[in-house]
Amino acid sequence: MKPKRIGITTGGGDAPGLNAVIRAVVKTAAIDYGAEVIGIEDGFDGLLRAGGVHTLTPGDVRGILPRGGTILGTASRGNPFARKVVQPDGATRVVDMSDEVLAAIVALNLDALIVIGGDGTLRIALELKHKGCPVVGVPKTIDNDVGGTEVTFGFDTALNTATEAIDKLHTTAESHHRAMVVELMGRDAGFLALHAGVAGGADVILIPELPFLFESVCRKVCERASRGSKFSILAVAEGAHPKGEDPIYSIAGDEVRVARLGGIGTLVGRIIGERCQTETRVTVLGHVQRGGGPTPFDRWLATRYGAAAVRLAMRGGFGRMVALQYSTITDIPLEEALAVPKRVDLSSDGMLTARGLGICFGD
Ligand code: F6P
């Protein structure tokens, strides 16, 4: 029997295009199938508190297509399998509340649950599937690190933001004859730094997949100066790290919270300043990359993902994720999407192209 009541939730860090997915799900469910959509607030948290869910009608999603963020809210630390709960004595304990989440889904009569998230949230969706929940996944993240799909929605918008920032740094770098380091997001994947670096004409790109040597980076900056190019642009992924060393974290993780990367841009800037006698400035682009309205590409992709997720649920394709392959929307098992984290392929044409242009990767 086709689902009549579909739950929808957005989990993990937000990404431009979340609202476009929600809108497509609500409209497709209502118009194509006459089904009802129930919005769950703040990841899975909305299922664990009173008033955390509400019906979404096509009227409720009017005007949200170009809006960044998510009208449902999200939660980075909302794993129901490991929730920090404050005990009566004030102490905190990590508890598994997945049974409560499943009970809430049953109580709401949801016969499908569309989970929009990155690898962390999709992993939770898979665990819920193993416990009998009829989930369908939609791949979201500015990091573009979900397997089995050519691209996640949110990546293109973040790429535009990062490229625009590099363009702006270029003009001021040239005026002041400075080395400009820009630290970009991406966690353990270098897609954002690689694509924005190439698109913005960076001289050095440092990515987590390719540990670097400071000597090599400094050589590039010094060489440019000796050839008369008195400025340099360095796009540094937050997860990039020197050979033999760990990435730099600004905040340690725990059982609930993942460690937060940050600081490599500042280190690279300091070393270049010291060794190349070049005035250096560092920009940490941060959450600007996650904000703002989605690009037309992300609106298009997110809308296709949302509509395809409803069709997948209607076919009973639970435990699967919509994906883009060869420019066509398809679907794959969540296990397959999560089996191998997607990383920059060092022998890809993109890397060859970048190297051919003389971009230094610090190796
Ligand atoms: O996964 C998306 C992302 O923006 C990463 O690129 C970044 O490392 C992380 O989330 C930041 O998370 P938070 O919003 O918790 O600071």
Side-chain angles (χ1 to χ4, degrees), residues 12-15 76-77 118-119 140-145 184-189 192 238-239 250-251 257-262 286-287 289-290:
D14 68 348
S76 302
R77 275 157 245 154
D119 58 348
K140 161 239 69 168
T141 166
I142 66 161
D143 304 338
N144 196 28
D145 60 354
L184 300 170
M185 282 186 167
R187 224 183 275 278
D188 304 313
L192 206 45
E238 61 182 357
S250 57
I251 293 184
R257 188 175 59 183
V258 293
R260 193 181 308 159
L261 286 156
H287 292 79
Q289 294 160 98
R290 291 231 304 257

Side-chain angles (χ1 to χ4, degrees), residues 70-339:
T70 160
I71 59 164
L72 290 174
T74 185
S76 302
R77 275 157 245 154
N79 183 355
F81 291 88
R83 270 177 73 91
K84 243 183 200 170
V85 174
V86 182
Q87 304 294 291
D89 64 357
T92 53
R93 202 160 58 90
V94 176
V95 292
D96 178 352
M97 296 194 69
S98 56
D99 286 340
E100 284 82 346
V101 161
L102 287 167
I105 289 168
V106 170
L108 285 166
N109 279 322
L110 298 182
D111 23 35
L113 176 64
I114 295 179
V115 178
I116 313 170
D119 58 348
T121 305
L122 293 172
R123 215 168 281 285
I124 295 167
L126 179 59
E127 284 185 61
L128 289 174
K129 160 73 177 33
H130 290 149
K131 294 187 86 163
C133 182
V135 297
V136 162
V138 178
K140 161 239 69 168
T141 166
I142 66 161
D143 304 338
N144 196 28
D145 60 354
V146 176
T149 186
E150 277 160 26
V151 66
T152 53
F153 77 84
F155 175 69
D156 184 67
T157 307
L159 174 57
N160 270 262
T161 303
T163 305
E164 195 185 335
I166 294 177
D167 286 347
K168 289 185 173 171
L169 290 171
H170 239 115
T171 58
T172 175
E174 202 165 357
S175 310
H176 287 269
H177 316 300
R178 284 172 172 159
M180 288 294 198
V181 178
V182 55
E183 183 180 298
L184 300 170
M185 282 186 167
R187 224 183 275 278
D188 304 313
F191 295 106
L192 206 45
L194 174 63
H195 291 223
V198 171
D203 308 294
V204 176
I205 299 176
L206 303 178
I207 57 174
E209 293 86 347
L210 196 50
F212 66 89
L213 295 168
F214 278 114
E215 298 79 75
S216 164
V217 174
C218 293
R219 197 181 315 123
K220 175 73 178 178
V221 174
C222 296
E223 261 172 32
R224 280 179 55 76
S226 66
R227 278 192 284 112
S229 300
K230 294 197 169 52
F231 73 96
S232 290
I233 303 289
L234 298 90
V236 180
E238 61 182 357
H241 51 97
K243 262 186 192 151
E245 291 181 32
D246 289 333
I248 301 180
Y249 293 94
S250 57
I251 293 184
D254 56 26
E255 321 95 296
V256 173
R257 188 175 59 183
V258 293
R260 193 181 308 159
L261 286 156
I264 187 63
T266 305
L267 178 64
V268 169
R270 185 167 59 74
I271 302 274
I272 288 174
E274 285 167 9
R275 299 193 193 168
C276 302
Q277 280 82 52
T278 305
E279 220 190 317
T280 306
R281 295 289 185 273
V282 177
T283 301
V284 180
L285 208 51
H287 292 79
V288 168
Q289 294 160 98
R290 291 231 304 257
T295 56
F297 177 87
D298 272 337
R299 294 179 200 189
W300 165 238
L301 181 64
T303 299
R304 292 166 76 201
Y305 276 159
V310 174
R311 295 195 296 269
L312 182 58
M314 291 296 164
R315 292 201 304 274
F318 302 124
R320 300 180 72 81
M321 179 191 87
V322 294
L324 187 75
Q325 290 180 358
Y326 304 104
S327 303
T328 298
I329 303 287
T330 181
D331 52 83
I332 58 171
L334 276 167
E335 281 95 343
E336 191 182 317
L338 299 169

